[in-house]
């Protein structure tokens, strides 16, 4: 009986997560366009619904009903597989992410995380790594020169920034002495990691931008010179999957930044409910993502690679060494 | 592990530290070396090895098990390390001119050799399957790259790819055996294994594990049934690397085989039967197939298979004399084989490859001195006194007969008589044919020095084997 | 809980598949993938045995195997690239140096 | 300390055999393993932790399937050769898209990734237990990082990180 | 221990070879080689003068530790048997240099180096008192001999050289195993004298006997394993043939004397009948083959097989007369057959043909040559008054004593010998002259005479007054015989 309840709870949580992640792009696209509009001194979408509020819904319907076009020379199986492969990892990652300790619903304590493994951080990186396959298959299968080039570049970019990203969190692990995200947040009850790990945060955030292929690192889909990168040939609902996946990654990076460096659901000064703190912080970073998009120019590709390898990587390694020294200094009597 | 033990460990592995530091420094410095200054790299590499040798000598006096039982600095390791130093230094000396001729301008060549040396040193000192594995891989990965170093040559690429794939398979097989041993014994330390595996010798799981480990290790020394890579790789690789591989990595493989099998496992299983069978088949195959080779490098490849077979006879014999015989065999083989390869390398000049045996027709007429040296090396390989090769074989036979394996000894000598044929065939070509064309061997002072050293070793150990024998006997582990 | 026996069988199956792939496939990339399978079967063994013995050596060994295999495969790919460039084609199937 | 290793080995760093080794518990032939199950003394990774992953994958696939199905009911399907050509600014596509598109820098990048990612793998467990292993552990990893940096510097000097466009 | 005379004897040729390496010019090489071989011969004569014929003990012994870990010593010493062969080797060494004076016209220096090192190694074999040392000398001989046949030989030289090498190597490697087994049974010692004192179980003795037999039989050569010899002899240059016939073949027989008999007495006794049978087979078979030859050198080569059959027959008769006859016959064969090869070589230098049919009536153009040829042919036939008569007589009487059938068969062999030798001589020296060949023929010159005369002297000396030679070996042979027979009443 207990088992059935536990399983049911898991199913519920998973369903809830899927729902959120699928629906979140709707407000996010609207927000993005609105914010873009206001930053650029215009109104953004205004036609569909009040202040264009229904614009994302209209977009969704359009994508749903658009012709599903597959190029003649394409590898049809991989072409169809790629969007699913791109969509799944960001969703799966959320299984391991805690949103808070627990809340009380109808008298029962329900933990705000689906699964708390002690290797959550490794899990996150492992699953996010699979994202590359969606990209590379998508570009390759279309058999279009722009798509291939775009996918190669995207792939190169993603794996390049994965390394500094991974190195950047090691400082956090050293502080928390755990790879469990829950433990990491708990370790920040008093002082947020950002205090000890500013460099780590910087590296992680920049790498996160690149991982999500957001401006200033959105070379892969640089409309100007590559069509639209690896998903040039996609249309309709399959294209939508890629878009959803991108937003999920934006969200994921924001969540990770909050958990790893900004104390998760630990609040300061204002005693808000932990979950709210968490949502607010995440919202802030999502906003930063959007804000950056319309503020920074795009980097050149060689600059992009140079930043990843020649700046972020050495920085993150130095960060590890320095953190070690600091830890030793603190631990020493 | 405390700071004190860490310091002890660092001290015991001083030679390794020297080599790795030197290699790293050269790796970076190499990027700043201008064209035409490569001789700096040669001398720097040689200096690194010499310093390491000095450090090794300093440590030779006592046995130090360090790194929580994964590493040991004992005389056995020292002996093998000196074989490796010898092979590496001579390879450096041979490489200078050869690299120019083949257009190998990069410093990585020397650095990779140093790293391969490091891998071999770790293998010689390793007392845990993990450290053995790490050393082994460090060595083979470097040799993979070195094999394919002639990037523009199809043959070199193919050889390297073949080597990599087969090598990785053999590593997999080895590791599978290791994992089974780990499952059975609960440890990967050789001593711990010996303690844990004192049960019945016919445990099917243990036997399986041993078979797998044997298979993996046997690959590295190029014995049947895992010899297929060897001729192609020897032929395709740059000749200097072939020379290096035929001596260094092979000796390192034997160091591991001796450590693994003569320490814990021989007591626990009838592994010598497997080894004896391998030895016989290996030697037979090497000897017979070499008979029909026309390419000198391929012939030497099969010859090295045959020699590996002979050395495995020594392993099969076991016991202190068996171990010492294998060690001495490898030392002598190092001198002789490097000598003959020096001759082959020297022949590579201009458009002349010197790889076909017929290329040597009438060599004795135009270069009697060099031909005499080659004659010396070839007869040493064939095991004819008074060269060192004879004493090497003799001592292995003594070890075999001592353990009562007279039949194996008879097989060994009969097969080595077969093997003698293809060595004297080369002598025949050199001495009894008319020259077809003029020779212009690339006889630089460095190559000369190599020839002198190897010839001195070949004839010196042959005439006065006593000191070296004593050295080998004293270096048997524990000693 | 999963019995150890299952892990061993899984390891054996992976090992056999890997070995078969190496020996039978002609495409070198597939061969390299089979190699990975082969080595991963070893990892499974190590970790399972480590669990069984309540000893972390198995995990350590597995990490080393992963790391070193990565280097090995990197080298293999590098050599493959050199070979492909000499042939100036990407069709790896043409590069049949392996006889099987 | 986190139990990424085993719970009953909190002194997980010490490699000395007398601590790490199970005493006198010889394994015996493999078939005897069958009677024992893995993880009976280590209680961390349970099915409950990874089951959700399966559920999540199933959920995503389900949603995708449903969406595709719905979409297929709604969308038109009107392909013709010109439409099915790859997008190429109006030019006719010639040959395999992948042909000749392979450049060595991508490959070098892949190798670098493999190397560094794998090194990160060593860093994670080390970071977890750093406080316990103290200075010696730190020094050891420092040496490891220095070696890594040498490799990195080499790659840099060699120009592997230069991306000419 | 005084002057290490034996070391001097062994290393004089080595020194000569070393000097040669530094020299340039063919004539210089010839003279240097000659002077060193003559010096060596002088040393050997000095050794014989100082030799004590009354004792069987080893004389002029030297002993240095070489590889102490394995009990290997550099031990030299000679008894009567080896003294005779040391002298024979040194004698033939000088003659070889003379014989190759003009016959070798290319790479003279190298040839002389090979010749000198060959001589040193052969001397070493006869002097060694340590099994390991013996083996080193024994096996190392392959290298210079291989080169001598292979580089300076006739058209089929390569094949002949390789065949020679492999036969000998295969045989001697089994011998090596035997040596190692003996080492362990003899309490980890390679000391030949100590090993002769060992009492080995019969089973081991038999195994070792056959291991040794293969090695020695190849060298002798005995019949089933003789096939390398005609090729090697025919293809080798004259000096090579002389060395092969004069010394190398003796080593097999010397091995029987030095190892098989004293160390494995029971096995030797037990298998003596087999050995006698093999010997007789060699005598008859070799004779028959010689009869069928039309090539001069081949004829002499097959006659060698036949003659060496007499030697082994004498040895395995295992009685005093047989042994002494066998040993004397070894010496005789060295002198006579060496001389015959020299004669073939001399005529070949002039005419470049060896076919018997090409010659005829040489008596008229080269009287001195034919006269000496007659002497050596008669010696080879064992006519009374020549050296072989004494030896063969002793062997036959020993053979009859040991085994009647073997003795009778050996007589038949001797008759065969008369047949082919006389036939050969008749065709070459007498009869109608062959004009084409005759034009090229000169008679012997002074150098050639210098090479032949010493041999002729020994033919007659032993033939008429064999006592000094028998004296030298007497004590040693008797001792050997006691060693063998002491075991007779054993198990």
């Amino acid at each position: 009986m207990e088992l059935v309840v536990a399983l049911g709870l898991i199913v519920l949580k998973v369903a809830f997560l899927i729902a959120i992640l699928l629906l979140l792009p709707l407000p996010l696209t609207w927000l993005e366009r609105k914010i873009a509009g206001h930053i650029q001194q215009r109104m953004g979408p205004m036609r569909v619904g009040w202040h264009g509020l229904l614009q994302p819904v209209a977009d969704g319907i359009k994508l749903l009903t658009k012709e599903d076009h597959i190029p003649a020379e394409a590898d049809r199986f991989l072409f169809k597989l790629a969007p699913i492969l791109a969509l799944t990892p960001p969703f799966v990652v959320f299984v391991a992410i805690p949103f808070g300790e627990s809340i009380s619903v109808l008298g029962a304590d329900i933990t705000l995380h689906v699964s708390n493994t002690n290797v959550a951080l490794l899990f996150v990186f492992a699953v996010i790594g699979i994202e590359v396959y969606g990209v590379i298959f998508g570009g390759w299968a279309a058999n279009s020169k722009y798509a291939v080039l775009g996918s190669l570049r995207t792939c190169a970019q993603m794996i390049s920034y994965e390394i500094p990203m991974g190195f950047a969190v090691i400082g956090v692990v050293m502080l928390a002495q755990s790879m469990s995200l829950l433990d990491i947040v708990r370790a920040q009850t008093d002082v947020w990691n950002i205090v000890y790990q500013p460099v780590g945060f910087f590296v992680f955030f920049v790498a996160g931008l690149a991982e999500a292929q957001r401006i200033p690192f959105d070379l892969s889909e640089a409309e100007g010179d590559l069509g639209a990168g690896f998903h040039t040939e996609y249309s309709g609902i399959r294209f939508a999957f890629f878009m959803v996946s991108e937003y999920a990654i934006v969200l994921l990076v924001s969540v990770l930044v909050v958990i790893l460096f900004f104390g998760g659901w630990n609040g300061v000064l204002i005693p808000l409910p932990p979950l709210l703190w968490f949502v607010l912080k995440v919202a802030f970073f999502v906003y930063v993502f959007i804000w950056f998009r319309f503020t920074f120019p795009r980097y050149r590709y060689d600059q992009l690679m140079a930043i990843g390898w020649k700046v972020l990587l050495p920085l993150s390694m130095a960060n590890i060494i320095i953190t070690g020294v600091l830890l030793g200094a603190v631990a020493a009597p | 592990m405390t700071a004190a033990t860490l310091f002890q460990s660092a001290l015991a592995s001083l030679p390794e530290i020297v080599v790795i530091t030197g290699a790293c420094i050269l790796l970076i410095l190499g990027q700043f070396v201008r064209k035409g200054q490569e001789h700096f790299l040669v001398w720097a590499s040689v200096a690194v090895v010499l310093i390491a040798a000095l450090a090794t000598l300093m440590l030779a006096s006592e046995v130090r098990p360090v790194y929580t039982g994964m590493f040991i600095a004992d005389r056995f390791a020292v002996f093998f390390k000196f074989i490796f130093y010898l092979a590496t230094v001579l390879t450096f000396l041979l490489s200078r001119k050869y690299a120019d001729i083949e257009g190998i301008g990069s410093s990585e060549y020397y650095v990779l050799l140093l790293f391969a040396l490091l891998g071999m040193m770790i293998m010689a000192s390793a007392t845990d399957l993990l450290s053995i594995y790490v050393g082994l891989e460090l060595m083979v990965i470097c040799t993979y790259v070195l094999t394919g170093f002639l990037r523009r040559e199809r043959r070199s690429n193919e050889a390297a790819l073949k080597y990599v794939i087969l090598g990785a398979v053999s590593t997999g097989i080895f590791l599978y055996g290791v994992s089974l041993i780990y499952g059975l014994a609960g440890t990967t330390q050789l001593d711990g294994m010996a303690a844990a595996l004192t049960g019945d010798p016919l445990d099917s799981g243990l036997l399986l594990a041993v078979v797998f480990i044997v298979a993996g290790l046997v690959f590295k020394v190029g014995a049947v049934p895992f010899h297929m890579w060897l001729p192609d790789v020897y032929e395709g690789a740059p000749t200097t690397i072939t020379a290096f591989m035929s001596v260094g990595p092979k000796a390192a493989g034997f160091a591991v085989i001796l450590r693994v099998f003569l320490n814990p496992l021989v007591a626990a299983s009838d592994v010598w039967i497997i080894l004896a069978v391998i030895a016989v088949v290996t030697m037979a195959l090497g000897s017979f197939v070499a008979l029909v080779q026309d390419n000198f490098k391929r012939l030497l490849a099969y010859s090295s298979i045959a020699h590996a077979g002979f050395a495995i006879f020594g392993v099969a014999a076991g016991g202190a004399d068996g171990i010492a015989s294998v060690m001495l065999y490898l030392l002598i083989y190092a001198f002789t084989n490097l000598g003959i390869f020096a001759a082959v390398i020297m022949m590579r000049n201009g458009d002349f490859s010197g790889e076909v045996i017929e290329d040597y027709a009438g060599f004795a007429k135009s270069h009697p001195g060099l031909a005499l040296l080659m004659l010396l090396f070839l007869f040493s390989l064939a095991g004819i006194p008074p060269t060192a090769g004879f004493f090497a074989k003799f001592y292995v036979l003594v070890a075999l007969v001592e353990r009562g394996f007279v039949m194996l000894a008879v097989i060994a000598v009969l097969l080595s008589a077969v093997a003698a044929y293809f060595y004297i065939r080369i002598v025949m070509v050199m001495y009894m044919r008319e020259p077809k064309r003029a020779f212009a061997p690339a006889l630089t002072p460095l190559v000369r020095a190599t020839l002198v050293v190897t010839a001195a070793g070949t004839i010196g150990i042959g005439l006065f084997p006593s000191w070296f024998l004593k050295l080998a006997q004293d270096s048997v582990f524990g000693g | 809980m999963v019995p150890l026996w299952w892990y061993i069988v899984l390891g054996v199956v992976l090992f056999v598949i890997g070995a078969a792939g190496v020996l039978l496939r002609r495409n070198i990339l597939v061969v390299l993938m089979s190699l990975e399978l082969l080595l991963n079967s070893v990892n499974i063994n190590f970790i399972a045995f480590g669990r069984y013995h309540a000893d972390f050596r198995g995990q350590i060994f597995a990490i080393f195997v992963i790391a070193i295999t990565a280097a090995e495969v990197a080298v293999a790919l590098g050599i493959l690239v050199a070979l492909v460039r000499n042939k100036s084609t990407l069709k790896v199937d043409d590069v049949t140096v392996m006889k099987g | 300390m986190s139990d990424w290793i085993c719970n009953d080995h909190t002194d997980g760093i010490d490699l000395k055999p007398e601590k790490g080794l199970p005493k006198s518990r010889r394994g015996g032939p493999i078939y005897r393993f069958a009677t024992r199950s893995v993880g009976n003394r280590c209680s961390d990774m349970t099915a409950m932790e990874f089951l959700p992953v399966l559920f999540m994958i199933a959920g995503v696939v389900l949603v995708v399937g449903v969406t595709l199905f719905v979409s297929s009911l709604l969308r038109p399907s009107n392909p013709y050769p010109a439409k099915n050509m790859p997008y190429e600014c109006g030019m006719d596509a010639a040959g395999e898209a992948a042909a000749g598109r392979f450049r060595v820098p991508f490959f070098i990048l892949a190798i670098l990734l493999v190397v560094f990612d794998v090194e990160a793998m060593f860093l994670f467990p080390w970071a977890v237990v750093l406080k316990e292993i103290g200075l010696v552990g730190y020094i050891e990893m420092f040496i490891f990082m220095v070696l890594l940096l040498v490799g990195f510097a080499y790659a840099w000097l060699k120009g592997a990180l230069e991306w000419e466009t | 221990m005084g002057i290490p005379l034996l070391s001097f004897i062994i290393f004089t040729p080595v020194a000569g070879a070393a000097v040669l390496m530094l020299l340039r010019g063919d004539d210089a090489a010839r003279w240097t080689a000659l002077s060193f071989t003559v010096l060596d011969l002088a040393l050997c004569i000095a050794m014989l003068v100082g030799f004590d014929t009354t004792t069987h003990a080893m004389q002029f012994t030297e002993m240095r530790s070489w590889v102490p870990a394995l009990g290997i010593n550099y031990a030299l010493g000679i008894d009567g048997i080896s003294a005779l062969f040391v002298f024979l080797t040194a004698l033939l060494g000088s003659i070889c240099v003379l014989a190759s004076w003009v016959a070798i016209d290319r790479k003279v220096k190298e040839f002389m180096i090979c010749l000198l090192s060959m001589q040193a190694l052969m001397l070493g074999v006869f002097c060694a008192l340590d099994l390991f040392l013996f083996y080193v000398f024994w096996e190392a001989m392959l290298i210079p001999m291989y080169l001598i046949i292979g580089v300076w030989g006739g058209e089929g030289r390569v094949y002949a050289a390789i065949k020679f090498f492999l036969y000998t190597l295969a045989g001697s490697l089994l011998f090596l195993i035997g040596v190692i087994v003996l080492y362990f049974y003899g309490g980890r010692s390679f000391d030949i004298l100590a090993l002769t004192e060992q009492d080995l179980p019969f089973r081991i003795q038999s195994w070792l006997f056959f291991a040794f037999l293969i090695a020695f039989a190849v060298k002798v050569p005995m019949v089933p394993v003789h096939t390398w010899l005609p090729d090697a002899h025919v293809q080798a240059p004259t000096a090579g043939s002389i060395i092969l016939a004069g010394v190398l073949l003796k080593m097999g027989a010397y091995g029987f004397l030095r190892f098989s008999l004293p160390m494995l007495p029971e096995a030797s006794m037990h298998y003596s009948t087999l050995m006698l049978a093999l010997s007789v087979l060699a005598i008859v078979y070799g004779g028959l083959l010689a009869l069928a030859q039309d090539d001069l050198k081949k004829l002499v080569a097959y006659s060698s097989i036949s003659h060496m059959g007499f030697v082994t027959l004498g040895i395995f008769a295992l009685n005093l007369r047989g042994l002494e006859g066998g040993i004397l016959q070894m010496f005789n064969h060295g002198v006579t057959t060496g001389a015959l090869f020299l004669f073939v070589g001399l005529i070949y230098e002039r005419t470049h043909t060896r076919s018997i049919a090409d010659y005829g009536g040489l008596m008229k153009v080269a009287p001195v040559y034919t006269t000496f040829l007659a002497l050596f042919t008669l010696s080879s036939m064992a006519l009374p008054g020549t050296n072989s008569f004494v030896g063969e007589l002793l062997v036959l009487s020993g053979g009859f004593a040991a085994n009647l059938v073997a003795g009778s068969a050996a007589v038949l062999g001797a008759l065969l010998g008369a047949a082919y030798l006389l036939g050969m001589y008749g065709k070459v020296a007498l009869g109608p002259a062959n004009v084409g060949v005759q034009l090229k023929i000169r008679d012997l010159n002074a150098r050639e005479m210098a090479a032949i005369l010493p041999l002729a002297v020994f033919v007659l000396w032993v033939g008429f007054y064999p006592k000094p030679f028998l004296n030298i070996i007497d004590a040693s042979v008797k001792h050997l015989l006691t060693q063998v027979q002491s075991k007779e009443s054993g198990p």
Side-chain angles (χ1 to χ4, degrees), chain E residues 301-371:
Chain E
Y302 281 110
S303 84
S304 271
I305 295 176
S306 175
H307 284 129
M308 288 311 289
F310 279 103
V311 172
T312 47
L313 178 69
I315 291 173
F316 281 95
L318 293 178
N319 50 37
L320 186 63
R321 272 170 301 171
L323 274 170
E324 289 202 340
I327 294 166
L328 190 65
Q329 190 59 8
M330 280 157 76
F331 181 79
N332 293 338
H333 178 254
V335 171
T336 307
T337 311
L340 282 177
F341 275 119
L342 180 57
F343 271 89
V344 176
L346 291 176
I347 197 170
Y348 179 76
E349 280 167 33
R350 291 161 165 80
T351 60
H352 296 285
T353 170
R354 282 192 299 253
S355 171
I356 296 175
D358 286 347
Y359 294 101
L362 280 188
M363 189 72 100
K364 291 170 195 123
V365 279
V368 185
Y369 178 90
T370 33
T371 314

Side-chain angles (χ1 to χ4, degrees), chain B residues 334-454:
Chain B
F335 276 112
T336 307
N337 217 37
L338 282 171
I340 193 74
F341 268 109
V344 179
I345 289 163
M346 168 186 87
M347 294 294 275
R348 173 82 177 82
N349 203 359
D351 60 335
F352 192 63
S353 75
E355 280 184 21
V356 186
I357 293 176
E358 289 302 316
D359 284 353
Y360 291 78
F363 188 58
K365 197 158 202 170
S366 49
H367 295 85
L370 290 176
L372 185 67
L373 283 180
M374 283 184 75
L375 176 94
L376 178 71
F377 297 134
L378 286 168
F379 277 118
S380 180
L381 286 173
I384 309 290
T387 57
F390 165 69
F391 194 80
K393 289 196 166 156
F394 172 75
Y395 191 37
V396 172
L397 293 176
V398 167
L400 272 178
V401 174
E402 185 183 13
R403 305 275 289 187
F405 301 141
V406 180
M407 225 30 239
L408 284 182
V410 170
I411 295 172
V413 294
L414 288 182
L415 289 173
S416 72
V418 174
Y421 171 75
F422 52 79
Y423 298 121
I424 63 166
R425 203 185 70 170
I426 301 173
V427 175
M428 182 266 285
V429 169
M430 283 194 309
Y431 274 86
M432 305 171 196
R433 293 270 177 81
E434 288 307 306
K436 290 199 192 93
R437 50 169 291 167
F439 297 96
L443 198 58
T444 61
L446 291 185
V447 176
R448 263 178 220 277
T450 314
L451 284 171
V452 167
V453 171
T454 49

Side-chain angles (χ1 to χ4, degrees), chain B residues 65-306:
Chain B
V66 289
Y67 290 115
T68 59
M70 299 190 101
F71 188 94
I72 192 168
D74 58 1
R75 291 222 200 117
F76 178 78
V78 169
F79 186 91
F80 271 99
K81 279 174 193 172
F82 272 93
I83 296 182
F84 306 149
Y85 296 146
L86 177 78
T88 316
V89 167
L90 292 185
T91 309
F92 284 138
L93 297 186
L94 289 175
S95 299
R96 176 70 194 89
K97 177 79 180 170
Y98 182 81
D100 276 356
I101 293 168
E102 290 285 1
I104 302 171
S106 40
S107 60
E108 288 85 350
Y109 177 85
Y110 302 98
V111 176
L112 280 171
L113 272 172
L114 281 179
F115 276 121
L117 170 67
L118 178 69
M120 297 190 298
M121 289 162 71
I122 293 174
M123 283 168 82
S125 279
T127 51
D128 187 297
L129 288 171
L130 180 57
S131 43
I132 288 175
Y133 170 63
V134 171
L136 185 79
E137 284 299 297
L138 180 54
M139 176 193 83
V140 289
I141 288 178
C142 293
T143 47
Y144 295 153
V145 180
L146 287 168
T147 302
F149 219 82
L150 302 176
R151 260 177 307 178
R152 314 223 174 287
E153 241 191 75
R154 181 85 197 278
R155 220 168 37 149
S156 181
N157 293 333
E158 285 200 8
L161 192 62
K162 198 167 189 172
Y163 190 21
V164 153
I165 289 172
L166 290 175
V169 173
S170 85
T171 306
I173 293 170
F174 169 75
L175 282 174
Y176 198 82
V178 170
S179 74
L180 289 182
I181 286 275
Y182 173 65
L184 290 169
T187 177
T188 51
Q189 259 181 341
L190 297 183
D191 294 342
M193 277 157 55
L197 295 178
T198 44
D200 51 321
L202 286 174
D203 187 326
S204 56
L206 181 61
L207 201 65
L208 193 68
V210 169
V211 167
F212 273 96
I213 292 189
V214 168
L217 288 177
V218 140
F219 175 91
K220 305 298 178 204
V221 300
V224 173
F226 299 97
H227 64 282
M228 325 68 108
W229 60 277
L230 202 130
D232 289 353
V233 171
Y234 273 32
E235 189 191 343
T239 317
T240 43
I241 297 309
T242 312
F244 176 73
M245 284 203 297
S246 71
V247 175
K250 181 161 286 198
F254 273 106
V256 169
I257 288 179
L258 289 176
R259 270 236 209 264
V260 172
F261 287 106
L262 299 187
N263 220 1
L265 284 182
V266 155
S269 65
D270 291 332
V271 69
W272 72 267
I273 299 176
I274 306 174
L275 287 173
V277 171
I278 289 177
V280 170
V281 180
T282 302
M283 221 187 141
L285 182 123
S287 307
F288 281 108
V289 180
L291 295 178
V292 295
Q293 299 303 319
D294 291 324
N295 184 301
F296 206 149
K297 278 163 87 174
R298 273 190 101 78
L299 184 137
L300 285 174
Y302 283 106
S303 127
S304 96
I305 292 176

